[in-house]
Amino acid sequence: MEDTPEIERRRAREERTVSQMIALYCAENHSDRRRGETAFCGERICSECKIIDDYAVLRTRRCRKMDVKTSCDECENHCYKPEERERIRSVMRYSGPRMLKTHPIAAIRHLLGR
């Protein structure tokens, strides 16, 4: 089924937000020397975080509940593998509160589920 323009915008915003969260986590937890890859959001990240970024963007792109969901954690259809879900949870636990400083609009929209 084709996305409506509104759902397309929401999906793109979600992809960018999760990528920004991963980039923030990487910037504050991994050395500059390791960050030779580019995240979906355009920021520099390490190869380990690039794997998480690619996976999270792919899962967001394939999400079938984008029109009704508020967050992946509250969704009844978990599309992340269990080990990947734990990795993204730790990234979000770290980055979530810090997003208010670096990307306040994205953080607020993400919290409101819009």
Side-chain angles (χ1 to χ4, degrees), residues 57-102:
V57 169
L58 177 67
R59 296 286 91 197
T60 302
R61 201 166 279 156
R62 291 184 177 172
C63 177
R64 291 182 248 146
K65 302 279 188 173
M66 188 59 65
D67 58 334
V68 295
K69 79 175 194 146
T70 55
S71 72
C72 293
D73 200 35
E74 295 175 8
C75 186
E76 73 276 355
N77 181 31
H78 293 295
C79 55
Y80 279 68
K81 294 177 193 168
E83 63 275 4
E84 297 297 331
R85 191 172 12 184
E86 193 50 46
R87 287 170 65 181
I88 198 69
R89 268 192 192 139
S90 64
V91 166
M92 289 188 170
R93 242 182 262 124
Y94 181 87
S95 298
R98 291 162 179 85
M99 283 287 286
L100 286 169
K101 273 184 159 178
T102 57

Side-chain angles (χ1 to χ4, degrees), residues 42-59:
E43 297 181 36
R44 305 300 292 163
I45 58 175
C46 70
S47 57
E48 187 180 313
C49 289
K50 175 69 171 159
I51 293 167
I52 300 169
D53 187 63
D54 288 345
Y55 186 79
V57 169
L58 177 67
R59 296 286 91 197

Side-chain angles (χ1 to χ4, degrees), residues 6-7 9-17 66-71 105-114:
E6 182 181 331
I7 300 301
R9 283 191 303 276
R10 178 159 189 219
R11 192 179 303 276
R13 196 169 44 243
E14 286 287 320
E15 290 168 349
R16 189 174 52 253
T17 300
M66 188 59 65
D67 58 334
V68 295
K69 79 175 194 146
T70 55
S71 72
I105 294 171
I108 292 168
R109 277 187 165 157
H110 185 71
L111 285 172
L112 295 175
R114 294 182 180 162

